[in-house]
Amino acid sequence: PAEAVPQAPEDPLFGLMAAYRADTFDKKVDLGIGAYRDDTAKPWVLPVVKKADNIIHSDPTLNHEYLPIAGLQSFTSGAAKLILGADSPALTEKRACSIQTISGTGAVHLGGLFISKFYPGTPTVYFSNPTWANHNQIFSNIHMPIATYPYFSKSTKGLDFDGMKNAIADAPDHSVILLHACAHNPTGVDPTQDQWKELAVLLKRKEHFPFFDCAYQGFASGDLAKDAWAVRYFVEQGFEMCIAQSFAKNFGLYGERAGCFHFVTGPGADSQKTIERIASQLTLLQRSEISNPPAYGARIAGLVMNDEALFAEWEDNLRTMSGRIISMRKALRSKLEELGTPGTWNHITDQIGMFSFTGMSEAQVLKLRDVAHIYMTKNGRISMAGLNTGNVEYVAKAVDKVVRE
Ligand code: PMP
């Protein structure tokens, strides 16, 4: 009977957003939301996206027909080149397939679904502790066993690399290892290139299957190739792997749900035939899940990725976003250091991407909300995009006060 359905808990992040909206204090600050804001705390439509939108809408033949099941081909091929690199062996040897998804979330889900159906045995998916909260739910919903590997060191506020390696080494062979391609959410802490190389050796030895989640390419450093380095390195090493790719942050297309899922097979005589079969199965799964993906965001991103001048303008827009975030990291750190706030604050500028894991306790987070109307998730994560030249001093002073209490 329907009465037996229990109440589900509210999503913590969306609940936080609602509390912020309801707050009438004029100096309130939103450091919860994982979306870019400009220096006036407003959402930013990328100028290149506006331009692409005008071009698309000036076409009198534009219509609202369905896209193919696998999505807009110019978008998926552009997306593959973006993440793998145009000269990737996976592309020249035709051993990658790409399917348009409902943003990054849909790509993680489709990949999980594919693995749960076709991966031999019942592999456990290992993800970092902590990770993006949705990983847990997405894999649990499709009944995949889940486990975690240590990731964040509370003492250094950096990577717990030994803990990470030990857990991955102890995991049963052939496990699925979920890795954030860059700008780890929520910690802002990434392995160095040397550490990625060590991880590749370890995953190879254990015959683990890497599943990259890439939600911040270009947004982290402002350099698309640099942010894709780990993924490209693993491809070079001949791994068979999955990649979930989101265009929410790097194009500011959050609500348009533009994303892509890629499967790459290892090199081999049969790899092209294998990838064709994998593509056919992904298409079949997609048909029953969403039938076909949404068109608008894919048209915008597809147009930009396939046009040299628009692409260059996009890179410029990316540098504007990542540059503003990096300057806010510097500003927050230097204000805290000026104030002599107890503790060390180098991690604010060491960490990269949208988020910083401040190390503040839940009690301190709640106090900041109550006393200063500053909103952040309970784990002490702040969205750097919520800071601007108008509020960074206010935030630093409030943090200083709370940390001293
Ligand atoms: N993975 C990670 C690690 C993320 O941070 C996000 C965005 N919050 C996503 C995937 C996907 O988000 P979306 O579905 O909006 O693309």
Side-chain angles (χ1 to χ4, degrees), residues 102-106 108 132 135 180 185 213 215-216 246 248-249 257:
I102 306 285
S103 212
T105 306
V108 174
W132 180 46
H135 284 148
H180 295 226
N185 176 7
D213 186 2
Y216 300 93
S246 168
K249 322 276 156 160
R257 316 307 291 139

Side-chain angles (χ1 to χ4, degrees), residues 4-285:
V5 177
Q7 179 71 33
E10 184 183 44
D11 183 89
L13 192 59
F14 282 75
L16 190 70
M17 283 162 65
Y20 172 80
R21 272 197 302 272
D23 189 330
T24 54
F25 185 65
D26 64 341
K27 279 193 175 149
K28 66 180 176 175
V29 181
D30 182 7
L31 302 182
I33 181 69
Y36 183 76
R37 296 289 177 258
D38 66 12
D39 199 48
T40 63
K42 296 274 183 329
W44 194 54
V45 180
L46 274 58
V48 74
V49 167
K50 273 194 190 147
K51 202 178 260 184
D53 183 61
N54 284 335
I55 295 169
I56 288 164
H57 284 96
S58 64
D59 175 0
T61 67
L62 183 71
N63 58 47
H64 299 288
E65 295 295 292
Y66 291 126
L67 288 183
I69 298 171
L72 187 66
Q73 212 273 330
S74 56
F75 166 78
T76 54
S77 62
K81 280 188 217 147
L82 188 80
I83 184 73
L84 300 172
D87 53 358
S88 171
L91 294 178
T92 53
E93 293 162 20
K94 296 194 172 42
R95 51 186 176 82
C97 69
S98 306
I99 183 163
Q100 190 188 328
T101 55
I102 306 285
S103 212
T105 306
V108 174
H109 169 73
L110 185 66
L113 197 62
F114 178 83
I115 289 171
S116 69
K117 193 163 176 192
F118 293 104
Y119 201 94
T122 312
T124 298
V125 186
Y126 282 77
F127 33 71
S128 59
N129 179 22
T131 191
W132 180 46
N134 231 1
H135 284 148
N136 199 313
Q137 305 191 88
I138 292 170
F139 289 100
S140 299
N141 282 347
I142 51 175
H143 309 293
M144 283 191 73
I146 56 175
T148 60
Y149 53 82
Y151 193 79
F152 186 72
S153 157
K154 283 208 168 103
S155 58
T156 64
K157 300 190 181 73
L159 185 65
D160 174 6
F161 191 51
D162 286 336
M164 178 183 190
K165 278 191 303 186
N166 290 340
I168 292 175
D170 287 346
D173 290 0
H174 307 288
S175 294
V176 176
I177 312 291
L178 196 129
L179 299 159
H180 295 226
C182 66
H184 183 271
N185 176 7
T187 65
V189 173
D190 286 350
T192 62
Q193 292 190 354
D194 281 343
Q195 288 170 333
W196 278 119
K197 288 179 182 170
E198 266 191 68
L199 287 171
V201 171
L202 175 59
L203 264 73
K204 249 246 166 108
R205 175 165 69 76
K206 296 285 299 176
E207 297 182 28
H208 289 327
F209 182 85
F211 190 138
F212 278 97
D213 186 2
C214 185
Y216 300 93
Q217 189 186 356
F219 192 91
S221 70
D223 179 336
L224 288 158
K226 189 171 171 196
D227 291 347
W229 187 89
V231 170
R232 294 180 189 178
Y233 182 77
F234 272 62
V235 171
E236 263 172 44
Q237 299 307 304
F239 279 95
E240 199 163 79
M241 59 199 251
C242 290
I243 306 160
Q245 184 184 26
S246 168
F247 289 90
K249 322 276 156 160
N250 56 11
F251 269 105
L253 285 170
Y254 306 92
E256 304 307 339
R257 316 307 291 139
C260 201
F261 174 75
H262 310 273
F263 196 102
V264 178
T265 62
D270 295 332
S271 56
Q272 207 174 321
K273 288 255 155 18
T274 304
I275 209 69
E276 282 167 16
R277 293 198 303 278
I278 289 170
S280 73
Q281 292 293 351
L282 286 167
T283 307
L284 192 65
L285 288 174

